[in-house]
Amino acid sequence: KVLAQAQKQADFALFERVKGRLLPTPEGQQLHQEIDALWRGVERVRDVSRSLAEPQTGTLRLAVSASLASFLVPRTVALLCERFPRLKSRMEILIAPIMVDALLDSSVDLGVALQPNEHPNLEPVQAWRCAFACVMPEGHRLAQLDAVRPADLRGERIVTSDPNTPYGQALMRAYGREASRLNLDLSVRSSTSACWYAQAGAGVAVVDRTVTAGQSFRGLAVRPFHSRERLAVSILRNRYRPMSAVQRAFCEVFGGVWKDAMGKD
């Protein structure tokens, strides 16, 4: 009945009976090829829809401040790979102005930045506040303290940052009134470099806590630094570029990694 109805609607013969068997006519065979191609297309759309809903792959291009590249971002990507086994990801360590340019021209998808953003075309997806810590070689006298105060730094060679940079200015505020009494002869661009200096015995350093997350530096003692100064940490996006499922997942996973590693700062 179904074949008879289809043949009636087609208005041409789809099958012929030959020796008791139904055989497709040339017209029927041609129609079948078209229907088969159409059905394969429907199946392809269904597969793509399913993969978009529950993706196994994706691309993620990240611009990251140096402090966050030592543990927090790599740990996030590691966990993300469990959710997206075929994830393709690229991370670049960029200073703030270059990160802004990369987000604006879409050469990266997300920025994980240690410093506030003021560009009107960028917006934070998530944001946190980060305290400071003091790092020194294990066995150093300051390692005997539960926490380090600015006055405790007197007499020490301190690895710091250029006071003309936003990070260096934050450090000067963290040192407070003790800044003029401290030995600030050693200057580096990033807190990662400051930790390497301290690890090598060149001095002690006050750094943002993100760089010490995950115990990334062996042989380095880390103590809280008493200061009300805080740094802004945020995941930035181009407000005119919709986020993909992978990008949203990164933000979600990073929030969990931050909570586990940093707690309440």
Side-chain angles (χ1 to χ4, degrees), residues 196-252:
W196 288 334
Y197 267 54
Q199 194 177 37
V204 303
V206 176
V207 297
D208 55 274
R209 283 193 56 220
T210 63
V211 76
T212 62
Q215 300 179 340
S216 303
F217 301 91
R218 293 182 180 179
L220 204 61
V222 181
R223 298 294 180 268
F225 187 72
H226 272 292
S227 173
R228 294 182 179 180
E229 184 68 20
R230 295 292 185 271
L231 294 170
V233 176
S234 57
I235 300 178
L236 300 174
R237 64 178 288 265
N238 187 323
R239 67 171 66 246
Y240 300 108
R241 301 286 181 179
M243 294 177 65
S244 69
V246 172
Q247 293 167 28
R248 290 193 295 270
F250 175 87
C251 297
E252 174 192 340

Side-chain angles (χ1 to χ4, degrees), residues 23-117:
L23 297 179
T25 64
E27 293 81 5
Q29 290 178 337
Q30 185 175 349
L31 182 61
H32 176 266
Q33 292 173 358
E34 294 296 326
I35 293 174
D36 185 62
L38 179 61
W39 181 250
R40 290 178 183 274
V42 170
E43 286 293 309
R44 174 60 181 164
V45 170
R46 184 179 299 171
D47 291 342
V48 170
S49 178
R50 190 178 297 116
S51 68
L52 290 174
E54 299 178 0
Q56 296 293 306
T57 186
T59 59
L60 183 64
R61 302 166 302 170
L62 300 169
V64 182
S65 295
S67 295
L68 294 132
S70 60
F71 176 78
L72 292 174
V73 171
R75 179 57 181 161
T76 301
V77 172
L79 293 175
L80 202 62
C81 286
E82 297 178 6
R83 188 181 304 186
F84 304 94
R86 297 174 58 195
L87 175 69
K88 295 181 179 180
S89 178
R90 185 187 78 227
M91 181 183 78
E92 297 184 64
I93 299 175
L94 301 178
I95 61 174
I98 299 178
M99 182 186 297
V100 169
D101 291 341
L103 286 165
L104 292 176
D105 66 20
S106 297
S107 57
V108 298
D109 302 313
L110 296 173
V112 190
L114 180 73
Q115 289 301 326
N117 163 68

